[in-house]
Amino acid sequence: EPEVTQTPSHQVTQMGQEVILRCVPISNHLYFYWYRQILGQKVEFLVSFYNNEISEKSEIFDDQFSVERPDGSNFTLKIRSTKLEDSAMYFCASGHAGNTIYFGEGSWLTVV
Amino acid sequence: SQQGEEDPQALSIQEGENATMNCSYKTSINNLQWYRQNSGRGLVHLILIRSNEREKHSGRLRVTLDTSKKSSSLLITASRAADTASYFCATDRTDSSYKLIFGSGTRLLVRP
């Protein structure tokens, strides 16, 4: 069964450093997403991406965040200057409009 | 409260019993999806129910949707210890870019 893959599974970074989280969505999907989940809290929407551009973003997704689809398979989330409160599990997801959205296993980010 | 609120927040049952989790939401939806999350792991898709459907089954899972009450329920029959996890409902709202908004989740403990 096709799946969304994410790397790294864990990353520890110093506050102020840049972080890039990588995702390979399911190959024929057209919609891509990033979500995050702070430990013990609900899953929060960050951004959706369709047709090579952001289609919607949340208030969390400020100027420190950016997304890119550099080639036909990867989808990345960049955090420019990490803060302590960016520590969370980050999930990539993909799907077709109005259908099942599939999530990856997540990338644990710890900012110290 | 926010779109997609589950109750109860936590549920503890004996193996073999049925578990029922409820989800309420506020706005019109295209579909509602249920996910399972084992501690520290990714989101596993369980079932999608569309706004024009009232009930769906998948193995030991039964999902109902009442759009007039803006609520859904997930029933797990004959529960097993391996069903211990958090369960989330997520709504695909009609006024959004096919993104999902997650509820707070129900933590299910199935005692052997």
Side-chain angles (χ1 to χ4, degrees), chain A residues 31-38 42-50 54-62 65 67 75 77 89-91 93 101 103, chain B residues 2 43 90-91 93 95-103:
Chain A
Y31 285 80
F32 313 114
Y33 309 86
W34 283 100
Y35 287 77
R36 79 171 186 192
Q37 185 181 34
I38 295 171
K42 63 165 49 175
V43 178
E44 300 173 290
F45 168 75
L46 292 179
V47 66
S48 57
F49 193 87
Y50 170 72
I54 290 174
S55 50
E56 192 170 349
K57 59 184 181 180
S58 71
E59 291 177 355
I60 303 168
F61 194 88
D62 62 22
F65 291 88
V67 289
F75 180 50
L77 174 69
M89 176 81 102
Y90 288 81
F91 291 108
I101 294 179
F103 286 76
Chain B
Q2 299 180 35
L43 295 159
T91 51
R93 291 165 27 176
D95 62 349
S96 77
S97 61
Y98 303 109
K99 70 176 187 290
L100 294 178
I101 299 297
F102 281 80

Side-chain angles (χ1 to χ4, degrees), chain A residues 75-92:
Chain A
F75 180 50
T76 61
L77 174 69
K78 182 192 288 186
I79 309 174
R80 245 178 288 282
S81 177
T82 50
K83 303 186 283 285
L84 295 176
E85 53 265 39
D86 294 327
S87 295
M89 176 81 102
Y90 288 81
F91 291 108
C92 175

Side-chain angles (χ1 to χ4, degrees), chain A residues 95-109:
Chain A
H96 289 297
N99 285 305
T100 298
I101 294 179
Y102 295 92
F103 286 76
E105 279 290 315
S107 294
W108 271 112
L109 175 65

